[in-house]
Each structure stands twice: as structure tokens, then as C-alpha cells.
Amino acid sequence: MSVDLKRGETLPIHINMTFPALPCEVLSVDAIDMSGKHEVDLDTNIWKLRLNNDGYIIGHEFISDLVEKEHESHKHGSNGDKSNHEESSLEVHAHGFGKDPEKMVKSVKQALADGEGCQVYGVLDVQRVAGNFHISVHGLNIFVAQQIFEGAMHVNVSHEIHDLSFGPKYPGIQNPLDGTKRILRDASGTFKYYIKIVPTEYRYIWKEVLPTNQFSVTEYFVPMHEFDRTWPAVYFLYDLSPITVTIKEERRSFLHFLTRLCAVLGGTFALTGMLDRWMYRLLEAITKKHSSIIGKF
């Protein structure tokens, strides 16, 4: 382990999630930099796949820019959070998604009735500082959201995390959120995943170095109540450890091989010697017993 000396680099976030109860038209992916800096033109590649009730793909949408705001203007679970999301802009290249509010409300209600879901996947490149990203319906105008869901209690953020990682994978890595499934029935609320990222370097036996990250996570769920003024969401709040972990692949030396070989051979000889003594004593005892029986006759 050593102190993390990386500066000015970006943090890749690989996400692949499914929301079985929310159509793609209402879902937005928001990233907030907790340093207080306003970032523009983040390099993002996020796709949203429309899924029917059986989980088959029926359409897709590409998000080219994330919603980004300053940390000071963003408060989790506050009224300011709601208004900030209303005022934020999200550049979307839509495939068959209507932009007229009335048509959108009708389209989303039909999608909800049909049991349409959405799969969100891709890579976010964010600053290497503490922050969060969340997937929610915050990109909707508050009045449109009310018409669609008739209240926050009816927003179902059930989800399945197929993959969440912060860099390329190395042999033996275990991402604790992969395969996580959270299904809400007759309830609603906000999921929060508090993530501690540990910078990691994996050194292959041929000296190539793979910079990546491991992480640990703590999960927290906040149930919605009838008169709550917040809207459900799935938050991923992350922070970085100041310590870098280095994992090395090493080939054992020939001397180590000889030592282990000698240990195996020595153990084999010792075991065969013990077996030889036991067999000798057993045969000797049988022979003596047989001789004594013959002597009696």
C-alpha cells in the first residue's frame, strides 16, 4: 500500500442497470461534483434501452451530456433539489420519444400500463473527487411528473444492478454490487449506496500495470411517506481513499520449486517408511500367532 499521488485524472464509472417499472422517457442520469466546481462537456456514453414486459428490447435512447450542477446548489432530498432538476438541461437524442408534454404524458402512461421498463448502461467519466450520480425522474418538470404518476408514492424505483465498477477489471476482482436486485412492492422510496473507492494498481507478471479501483459499499433505504415532498431515486454517493493498493503477480523462483520438491520427496519417503514398519509389525504378529497355533498341535 502507498499514498495515492494521482492528480488531475478522471474517474470512469461503468454502469449497467435495469429499472423494470419505469419507462426510459422519465429516467435521467445526473452527476454532481462534490468539490463545488461546475463541470461542462463531460465525456459520457450512456444508453437507455426500452424493455417490454418480458424484458425484450423495443427501442433505445442515447444521452450525450449529463445534468451537472454545483454542489452548493444541490441538496439531497430538499426542495432546492427538485427545482434545480426542473431548471437543468439534458441533451437527448431520442428515437421515437415525443417531446410535447401532453403527448409525453399520454405516451408514458401507456408505457406504464404496458409494463415497460428501461435498461441504463454505459460509462461516465467524472472528476477524481468525491461526488455522486443518481438515476431518477428528477429530469421531469414537476407538473408533468404529477400528471404522470399522480404523486411520488407511485414512483417505483425497483432496480437490478448488473454491473457497477470504477475502472477495468483484473483477475479475481469482486464488485460487491454486481447482481444486486431490489424490488419494491406496494411501496416507494429512495435507495442510497455509499461507496468507498480504493485506488488499485494490478501489476501483471510481464510488468504491465493496470490502473483501476476497488470499492466497498453500504446500502441505505429511505421509504416514502404520503406527504413527502421529495421524489424517489437511486443514489450512488462515492468518496476516494487516499491509499493505493498494489497487487502483483509473481512467478516463484526455481530455488523455491526445488525446496518444495524436496519437501514433497521427504514427506513421501517418511510416509513409505512408516507404512513399511507398520506392515512388518503386522506380518510379524500374524506369523507369531500362526506359529503358536501350530505348536499346540
Side-chain angles (χ1 to χ4, degrees):
M1 293 186 291
S2 61
V3 177
D4 184 20
L5 301 177
K6 297 184 180 70
R7 298 175 59 187
E9 297 184 8
T10 58
L11 178 69
I13 304 175
H14 302 261
I15 61 173
N16 187 355
M17 299 178 60
T18 296
F19 291 81
L22 288 176
C24 288
E25 286 182 271
V26 300
L27 282 178
S28 66
V29 183
D30 305 340
I32 286 81
D33 183 355
M34 302 300 283
S35 69
K37 296 180 180 179
H38 183 72
E39 295 293 330
V40 295
D41 296 328
L42 261 183
D43 181 20
T44 63
N45 294 284
I46 300 295
W47 287 90
K48 296 194 294 185
L49 302 178
R50 295 175 56 195
L51 307 176
N52 63 13
N53 194 33
D54 297 321
Y56 294 104
I57 299 172
I58 57 176
H60 63 281
E61 178 180 356
F62 177 69
I63 305 177
S64 61
D65 289 306
L66 290 179
V67 179
E68 298 171 287
K69 293 170 286 298
E70 295 186 18
H71 171 52
E72 294 178 358
S73 65
H74 179 78
K75 304 293 183 183
H76 295 296
S78 67
N79 296 336
D81 178 43
K82 194 183 300 179
S83 61
N84 286 337
H85 281 290
E86 294 169 25
E87 297 170 1
S88 62
S89 62
L90 181 65
E91 182 184 348
V92 174
H93 299 284
H95 296 260
F97 293 162
K99 294 185 178 181
D100 182 75
E102 293 183 2
K103 291 182 179 179
M104 181 183 180
V105 171
K106 185 177 180 180
S107 174
V108 173
K109 283 189 173 183
Q110 184 60 49
L112 288 170
D114 294 339
E116 191 172 310
C118 186
Q119 182 176 353
V120 181
Y121 73 96
V123 181
L124 316 179
D125 285 312
V126 298
Q127 280 196 354
R128 198 178 179 83
V129 293
N132 81 72
F133 68 94
H134 51 278
I135 304 174
S136 62
V137 298
H138 294 167
L140 292 175
N141 179 283
I142 184 65
F143 301 107
V144 174
Q146 286 285 2
Q147 290 184 55
I148 293 173
F149 297 103
E150 300 178 357
M153 286 290 295
H154 300 112
V155 179
N156 188 342
V157 292
S158 297
H159 60 277
E160 181 176 2
I161 303 174
H162 306 292
D163 176 57
L164 179 69
S165 57
F166 296 85
K169 297 182 179 181
Y170 60 84
I173 190 173
Q174 293 183 349
N175 294 322
L177 285 178
D178 289 1
T180 299
K181 193 173 185 178
R182 298 291 179 265
I183 303 298
L184 297 175
R185 304 187 187 280
D186 301 323
S188 185
T190 295
F191 291 90
K192 294 184 178 182
Y193 297 96
Y194 295 91
I195 296 172
K196 191 69 173 183
I197 300 173
V198 181
T200 303
E201 289 185 348
Y202 190 88
R203 298 180 180 270
Y204 290 96
I205 200 165
W206 54 85
K207 305 302 181 182
E208 180 183 349
V209 178
L210 177 67
T212 184
N213 300 279
Q214 305 178 72
F215 68 93
S216 61
V217 63
T218 302
E219 180 182 349
Y220 184 58
F221 176 71
V222 182
M224 290 289 299
H225 300 289
E226 185 175 356
F227 299 104
D228 286 349
R229 303 183 65 181
T230 58
W231 287 80
V234 179
Y235 282 89
F236 297 90
L237 303 101
Y238 56 87
D239 195 6
L240 285 93
S241 168
I243 302 299
T244 295
V245 174
T246 301
I247 304 173
K248 296 181 180 180
E249 287 184 348
E250 292 184 349
R251 180 182 287 114
R252 292 188 173 95
S253 65
F254 185 68
L255 181 59
H256 185 271
F257 169 74
L258 287 179
T259 303
R260 295 192 63 180
L261 180 62
C262 291
V264 171
L265 292 176
T268 303
F269 283 121
L271 180 61
T272 54
M274 291 173 60
L275 290 174
D276 180 67
R277 287 195 298 272
W278 292 342
M279 290 299 295
Y280 175 77
R281 291 176 181 175
L282 179 62
L283 291 174
E284 186 179 27
I286 294 173
T287 304
K288 286 182 178 180
K289 185 177 180 181
H290 185 68
S291 300
S292 62
I293 293 173
I294 295 174
K296 289 181 180 181
F297 290 101

